[in-house]
Amino acid sequence: MDRPLVLDGGLSTELESRGHDISGTLWSAQLLLDAPDAVVDAHRAFLDAGADIVTTASYQASAEGFSRAGIPFATGQELIRRSVELARRAVEESGREALVAGSVGPYGAMLANGAEYTGDYGSVGVDELRDFHRPRLELLAEAGVDVLAVETIPSLAEVEALLAELDRLGHPAWLSLTTDGLLTRRGEPAGEAFSMATSVSSVIAVGVNCTDPSGVGLAVDLAVEFGGKPGVVYPNSGEGWDAVHRAWLPASQGLLLGDVDGWLRSGARIVGGCCRVTPDQIRSIADVVRP
């Protein structure tokens, strides 16, 4: 990457702020079916704020997740393709040069019980995780995303599964963990996860997302050191998510622009926001990344 790129923020947050109901198990992916124009408008908000990359509304979109929501397999496949088409449309309408990243959320996101923040998948192992992720990875790549955004990954087992699939697929991707300090959400050394990515040439960046801003600095250092690749970082707003009551908890510390300078110095080349990060905050990040 010749220069750092600005990633978008919380797509679901922006959709919710515009009056759309994302409280179901499919979150923003439900709007791929119910309100596709709203998804385009939300992408546009981040593009207009200066984002160089927009992520598709496919974080929660998987064959198994759609099936659990009563959506037929063929329709689910079409919705995943539609997520790419909508992001492309937003880029074209914006008149800006921007990349489309295909969002690939963890297995725990499909469970919709907070498991992406614990990595506790019971008896589900690496082979089952590969089977789960493979169809969406292939569909997003075939639909023409510029890069696969493999994000909010909480455990070494899921990292292993996804890296095996990314190596097989050969499409550009980044790998982003959700961490608790220097540990995965499963309590494993995050450095080990980043090290696993070094041998996968299609992985162009490693880092963290959906993590409290206060814990991101050390994690970026670790990602760049152990991964041997450029860093990607997009924390949440600092608020916590209560999966039981499906509610946000107050932030201990918000996103500080001084943090962005530090992430860039540590080797981050893709910087943005995750849950509860708005277009206004992305505009502020863009001002730092492109002074």
Side-chain angles (χ1 to χ4, degrees):
M1 283 167 255
D2 295 334
R3 63 172 179 84
L5 299 177
V6 179
L7 183 60
D8 58 7
L11 182 63
S12 293
T13 300
E14 180 62 15
L15 288 164
E16 188 174 38
S17 75
R18 292 166 177 255
H20 298 283
D21 182 7
I22 58 165
S23 62
T25 58
L26 292 176
W27 295 1
S28 58
Q30 182 67 49
L31 299 185
L32 294 171
L33 182 65
D34 296 344
D37 288 345
V39 176
V40 174
D41 291 343
H43 286 314
R44 275 295 307 274
F46 288 110
L47 288 161
D48 293 345
D52 298 307
I53 309 173
V54 289
T55 51
T56 59
S58 54
Y59 176 86
Q60 203 81 358
S62 65
E64 188 170 340
F66 281 135
S67 176
R68 289 184 176 206
I71 295 174
F73 178 76
T75 302
Q77 288 185 308
E78 179 55 33
L79 291 176
I80 291 172
R81 294 189 189 95
R82 183 179 296 174
S83 73
V84 182
E85 294 167 3
L86 297 177
R88 286 282 178 215
R89 189 174 124 200
V91 171
E92 290 169 5
E93 290 180 1
S94 75
R96 298 186 66 244
E97 292 186 6
L99 303 176
V100 171
S103 177
V104 179
Y107 181 83
M110 179 272 298
L111 299 176
N113 63 0
E116 67 262 54
Y117 300 119
T118 65
D120 184 3
Y121 300 162
S123 61
V124 175
V126 171
D127 289 343
E128 292 91 344
L129 290 170
R130 290 188 66 172
D131 291 342
F132 169 79
H133 284 294
R134 187 178 304 122
R136 177 172 44 176
L137 290 168
E138 291 177 343
L139 277 169
L140 289 169
E142 290 167 4
V145 297
D146 297 296
V147 61
L148 292 162
V150 176
E151 53 189 2
T152 326
I153 308 305
S155 70
L156 293 181
E158 194 157 19
V159 168
E160 179 182 345
L162 280 158
L163 288 176
E165 288 301 310
L166 291 174
D167 195 31
R168 182 189 63 82
L169 188 60
H171 194 86
W174 73 62
L175 171 70
S176 184
L177 309 184
T178 176
T179 59
D180 184 4
L182 300 181
L183 301 177
T184 70
R185 296 284 186 163
R186 196 72 181 135
E188 307 144 326
E192 186 174 339
F194 298 131
S195 295
M196 291 164 65
T198 58
S199 62
V200 182
S201 59
S202 58
V203 175
I204 62 169
V206 293
V208 291
N209 76 291
C210 216
T211 297
D212 191 295
S214 64
V216 164
L218 289 175
V220 175
D221 291 338
L222 195 72
V224 173
E225 177 185 355
F226 283 80
K229 300 174 188 282
V232 54
V233 52
Y234 47 121
N236 58 32
S237 64
E239 296 164 90
W241 175 247
D242 183 337
V244 175
H245 299 98
R246 298 186 67 80
W248 289 98
L249 305 174
S252 58
Q253 175 191 311
L255 184 62
L256 300 177
L257 295 184
D259 295 339
V260 177
D261 280 326
W263 304 336
L264 294 172
R265 288 194 299 270
S266 293
R269 288 297 175 265
I270 300 172
V271 179
C274 198
C275 299
R276 310 284 279 185
V277 175
T278 67
D280 283 344
Q281 290 169 300
I282 294 302
R283 182 174 290 107
S284 296
I285 289 174
D287 289 342
V288 176
V289 173
R290 296 192 297 266

CSV table of all heavy atoms in Angstrom, one decimal, residues 32 43 54 56-58 78-91 100-103 139-146:
chain,number,residue,atom,x,y,z
A,32,LEU,N,-30.5,-6.3,3.2
A,32,LEU,CA,-30.2,-6.7,1.8
A,32,LEU,C,-31.5,-7.1,1.1
A,32,LEU,O,-31.6,-6.9,-0.1
A,32,LEU,CB,-29.2,-7.8,1.8
A,32,LEU,CG,-27.8,-7.5,2.3
A,32,LEU,CD1,-27.0,-8.7,2.4
A,32,LEU,CD2,-27.1,-6.5,1.4
A,43,HIS,N,-23.6,3.2,2.9
A,43,HIS,CA,-22.3,3.2,2.3
A,43,HIS,C,-21.9,4.6,1.9
A,43,HIS,O,-20.7,5.1,2.1
A,43,HIS,CB,-22.2,2.3,1.1
A,43,HIS,CG,-22.3,0.8,1.4
A,43,HIS,ND1,-21.5,0.3,2.4
A,43,HIS,CD2,-23.0,-0.2,0.9
A,43,HIS,CE1,-21.7,-1.1,2.4
A,43,HIS,NE2,-22.6,-1.4,1.5
A,54,VAL,N,-15.2,0.6,1.6
A,54,VAL,CA,-16.4,0.3,2.2
A,54,VAL,C,-16.6,-1.2,2.3
A,54,VAL,O,-16.2,-2.0,1.4
A,54,VAL,CB,-17.6,0.9,1.5
A,54,VAL,CG1,-17.6,2.4,1.6
A,54,VAL,CG2,-17.6,0.5,0.0
A,56,THR,N,-19.0,-4.6,2.7
A,56,THR,CA,-20.3,-5.1,2.4
A,56,THR,C,-21.1,-5.5,3.6
A,56,THR,O,-20.6,-5.8,4.7
A,56,THR,CB,-20.2,-6.3,1.4
A,56,THR,OG1,-19.5,-7.4,2.1
A,56,THR,CG2,-19.5,-6.0,0.2
A,57,ALA,N,-22.5,-5.5,3.4
A,57,ALA,CA,-23.4,-5.8,4.5
A,57,ALA,C,-23.5,-7.3,4.6
A,57,ALA,O,-24.6,-7.9,4.7
A,57,ALA,CB,-24.7,-5.2,4.3
A,58,SER,N,-22.4,-8.0,4.6
A,58,SER,CA,-22.4,-9.5,4.6
A,58,SER,C,-21.8,-10.1,5.9
A,58,SER,O,-21.6,-11.3,5.9
A,58,SER,CB,-21.7,-10.0,3.4
A,58,SER,OG,-20.4,-9.5,3.3
A,78,GLU,N,-28.0,-15.2,-3.4
A,78,GLU,CA,-28.2,-13.9,-4.2
A,78,GLU,C,-28.0,-12.7,-3.3
A,78,GLU,O,-27.5,-11.7,-3.7
A,78,GLU,CB,-29.6,-14.0,-4.8
A,78,GLU,CG,-30.0,-12.7,-5.5
A,78,GLU,CD,-29.0,-12.4,-6.7
A,78,GLU,OE1,-28.5,-13.3,-7.3
A,78,GLU,OE2,-28.8,-11.2,-6.9
A,79,LEU,N,-28.4,-12.8,-2.0
A,79,LEU,CA,-28.3,-11.7,-1.1
A,79,LEU,C,-26.8,-11.4,-0.8
A,79,LEU,O,-26.4,-10.2,-0.7
A,79,LEU,CB,-29.0,-11.9,0.2
A,79,LEU,CG,-30.6,-11.9,0.1
A,79,LEU,CD1,-31.2,-12.3,1.4
A,79,LEU,CD2,-31.1,-10.6,-0.4
A,80,ILE,N,-26.0,-12.4,-0.7
A,80,ILE,CA,-24.6,-12.2,-0.6
A,80,ILE,C,-24.0,-11.5,-1.8
A,80,ILE,O,-23.2,-10.5,-1.7
A,80,ILE,CB,-23.8,-13.5,-0.3
A,80,ILE,CG1,-24.2,-14.0,1.1
A,80,ILE,CG2,-22.3,-13.3,-0.3
A,80,ILE,CD1,-23.7,-15.4,1.4
A,81,ARG,N,-24.4,-11.9,-3.0
A,81,ARG,CA,-23.9,-11.2,-4.2
A,81,ARG,C,-24.5,-9.8,-4.2
A,81,ARG,O,-23.7,-8.8,-4.6
A,81,ARG,CB,-24.4,-12.0,-5.4
A,81,ARG,CG,-23.8,-13.3,-5.6
A,81,ARG,CD,-24.2,-13.9,-7.0
A,81,ARG,NE,-23.8,-15.3,-7.1
A,81,ARG,CZ,-24.6,-16.3,-6.9
A,81,ARG,NH1,-25.9,-16.1,-6.5
A,81,ARG,NH2,-24.2,-17.6,-7.0
A,82,ARG,N,-25.7,-9.6,-3.8
A,82,ARG,CA,-26.3,-8.3,-3.8
A,82,ARG,C,-25.5,-7.3,-2.8
A,82,ARG,O,-25.4,-6.1,-3.1
A,82,ARG,CB,-27.7,-8.3,-3.3
A,82,ARG,CG,-28.5,-7.0,-3.3
A,82,ARG,CD,-29.9,-7.1,-2.9
A,82,ARG,NE,-30.7,-7.9,-3.8
A,82,ARG,CZ,-31.9,-8.3,-3.6
A,82,ARG,NH1,-32.6,-8.0,-2.5
A,82,ARG,NH2,-32.5,-9.1,-4.5
A,83,SER,N,-25.0,-7.8,-1.8
A,83,SER,CA,-24.2,-7.0,-0.8
A,83,SER,C,-23.0,-6.3,-1.6
A,83,SER,O,-22.7,-5.2,-1.3
A,83,SER,CB,-23.7,-7.8,0.4
A,83,SER,OG,-22.6,-8.6,0.0
A,84,VAL,N,-22.4,-7.1,-2.5
A,84,VAL,CA,-21.3,-6.5,-3.3
A,84,VAL,C,-21.8,-5.5,-4.3
A,84,VAL,O,-21.3,-4.4,-4.5
A,84,VAL,CB,-20.5,-7.6,-4.0
A,84,VAL,CG1,-19.4,-7.1,-4.8
A,84,VAL,CG2,-20.1,-8.7,-3.0
A,85,GLU,N,-22.9,-5.8,-5.0
A,85,GLU,CA,-23.5,-4.9,-6.0
A,85,GLU,C,-23.9,-3.6,-5.3
A,85,GLU,O,-23.7,-2.5,-5.9
A,85,GLU,CB,-24.7,-5.6,-6.6
A,85,GLU,CG,-24.4,-6.8,-7.4
A,85,GLU,CD,-25.7,-7.6,-7.8
A,85,GLU,OE1,-26.8,-7.1,-7.4
A,85,GLU,OE2,-25.5,-8.7,-8.4
A,86,LEU,N,-24.4,-3.6,-4.1
A,86,LEU,CA,-24.9,-2.4,-3.5
A,86,LEU,C,-23.7,-1.5,-3.1
A,86,LEU,O,-23.7,-0.3,-3.2
A,86,LEU,CB,-25.7,-2.7,-2.2
A,86,LEU,CG,-27.0,-3.5,-2.5
A,86,LEU,CD1,-27.7,-3.8,-1.2
A,86,LEU,CD2,-28.0,-2.7,-3.4
A,87,ALA,N,-22.6,-2.2,-2.6
A,87,ALA,CA,-21.4,-1.4,-2.3
A,87,ALA,C,-20.8,-0.8,-3.5
A,87,ALA,O,-20.4,0.4,-3.5
A,87,ALA,CB,-20.4,-2.3,-1.5
A,88,ARG,N,-20.8,-1.5,-4.6
A,88,ARG,CA,-20.2,-1.0,-5.9
A,88,ARG,C,-21.1,0.2,-6.3
A,88,ARG,O,-20.6,1.2,-6.8
A,88,ARG,CB,-20.3,-2.1,-6.9
A,88,ARG,CG,-19.2,-3.1,-6.8
A,88,ARG,CD,-17.9,-2.6,-7.3
A,88,ARG,NE,-16.8,-3.7,-7.1
A,88,ARG,CZ,-15.6,-3.4,-6.8
A,88,ARG,NH1,-15.2,-2.2,-6.6
A,88,ARG,NH2,-14.7,-4.4,-6.6
A,89,ARG,N,-22.4,0.0,-6.2
A,89,ARG,CA,-23.3,1.1,-6.6
A,89,ARG,C,-23.0,2.4,-5.9
A,89,ARG,O,-22.9,3.5,-6.4
A,89,ARG,CB,-24.7,0.7,-6.5
A,89,ARG,CG,-25.7,1.7,-7.1
A,89,ARG,CD,-27.1,1.1,-7.0
A,89,ARG,NE,-28.0,2.0,-6.3
A,89,ARG,CZ,-29.2,1.6,-5.7
A,89,ARG,NH1,-29.5,0.3,-5.7
A,89,ARG,NH2,-29.9,2.5,-5.1
A,90,ALA,N,-22.8,2.2,-4.5
A,90,ALA,CA,-22.5,3.4,-3.7
A,90,ALA,C,-21.2,4.1,-4.1
A,90,ALA,O,-21.1,5.3,-4.2
A,90,ALA,CB,-22.4,3.0,-2.2
A,91,VAL,N,-20.2,3.3,-4.4
A,91,VAL,CA,-18.9,3.8,-4.9
A,91,VAL,C,-19.1,4.6,-6.2
A,91,VAL,O,-18.6,5.7,-6.4
A,91,VAL,CB,-17.8,2.7,-5.0
A,91,VAL,CG1,-16.6,3.2,-5.7
A,91,VAL,CG2,-17.5,2.1,-3.7
A,100,VAL,N,-14.0,-2.1,-2.5
A,100,VAL,CA,-15.0,-2.8,-1.8
A,100,VAL,C,-14.5,-4.0,-1.1
A,100,VAL,O,-13.8,-4.8,-1.7
A,100,VAL,CB,-16.1,-3.2,-2.8
A,100,VAL,CG1,-17.1,-4.2,-2.1
A,100,VAL,CG2,-16.8,-2.0,-3.4
A,101,ALA,N,-14.7,-4.1,0.2
A,101,ALA,CA,-14.2,-5.2,1.0
A,101,ALA,C,-15.4,-6.1,1.4
A,101,ALA,O,-16.4,-5.6,1.9
A,101,ALA,CB,-13.5,-4.7,2.3
A,102,GLY,N,-15.3,-7.4,1.1
A,102,GLY,CA,-16.3,-8.3,1.4
A,102,GLY,C,-16.3,-8.8,2.9
A,102,GLY,O,-15.3,-9.5,3.3
A,103,SER,N,-17.2,-8.3,3.7
A,103,SER,CA,-17.2,-8.6,5.1
A,103,SER,C,-17.5,-10.1,5.4
A,103,SER,O,-18.5,-10.7,4.9
A,103,SER,CB,-18.2,-7.8,5.8
A,103,SER,OG,-18.2,-8.1,7.2
A,139,LEU,N,-18.3,-16.9,-2.8
A,139,LEU,CA,-19.3,-16.1,-3.4
A,139,LEU,C,-18.9,-14.6,-3.4
A,139,LEU,O,-19.0,-13.9,-4.5
A,139,LEU,CB,-20.7,-16.1,-2.6
A,139,LEU,CG,-21.6,-17.3,-2.9
A,139,LEU,CD1,-22.7,-17.4,-1.9
A,139,LEU,CD2,-22.2,-17.1,-4.3
A,140,LEU,N,-18.3,-14.1,-2.4
A,140,LEU,CA,-17.8,-12.7,-2.3
A,140,LEU,C,-16.7,-12.5,-3.3
A,140,LEU,O,-16.6,-11.5,-4.0
A,140,LEU,CB,-17.4,-12.4,-0.9
A,140,LEU,CG,-18.5,-12.2,0.1
A,140,LEU,CD1,-17.9,-12.1,1.5
A,140,LEU,CD2,-19.3,-11.0,-0.2
A,141,ALA,N,-15.8,-13.5,-3.4
A,141,ALA,CA,-14.7,-13.4,-4.4
A,141,ALA,C,-15.2,-13.4,-5.8
A,141,ALA,O,-14.8,-12.6,-6.6
A,141,ALA,CB,-13.7,-14.5,-4.2
A,142,GLU,N,-16.1,-14.3,-6.1
A,142,GLU,CA,-16.7,-14.4,-7.4
A,142,GLU,C,-17.5,-13.2,-7.8
A,142,GLU,O,-17.6,-12.8,-8.9
A,142,GLU,CB,-17.6,-15.6,-7.5
A,142,GLU,CG,-16.9,-17.0,-7.5
A,142,GLU,CD,-17.8,-18.1,-7.2
A,142,GLU,OE1,-19.1,-17.9,-7.2
A,142,GLU,OE2,-17.4,-19.3,-7.1
A,143,ALA,N,-18.1,-12.5,-6.8
A,143,ALA,CA,-18.9,-11.3,-7.0
A,143,ALA,C,-18.0,-10.1,-7.2
A,143,ALA,O,-18.5,-9.0,-7.6
A,143,ALA,CB,-19.8,-11.0,-5.8
A,144,GLY,N,-16.7,-10.2,-7.0
A,144,GLY,CA,-15.8,-9.2,-7.4
A,144,GLY,C,-15.3,-8.2,-6.4
A,144,GLY,O,-14.9,-7.1,-6.7
A,145,VAL,N,-15.3,-8.6,-5.1
A,145,VAL,CA,-14.8,-7.7,-4.1
A,145,VAL,C,-13.3,-7.5,-4.3
A,145,VAL,O,-12.6,-8.4,-4.8
A,145,VAL,CB,-15.0,-8.2,-2.6
A,145,VAL,CG1,-16.5,-8.3,-2.4
A,145,VAL,CG2,-14.4,-9.6,-2.4
A,146,ASP,N,-12.8,-6.4,-3.9
A,146,ASP,CA,-11.4,-6.1,-4.1
A,146,ASP,C,-10.6,-6.9,-3.1
A,146,ASP,O,-9.4,-7.3,-3.3
A,146,ASP,CB,-11.1,-4.6,-3.9
A,146,ASP,CG,-11.8,-3.8,-5.0
A,146,ASP,OD1,-11.4,-4.0,-6.2
A,146,ASP,OD2,-12.7,-3.0,-4.7
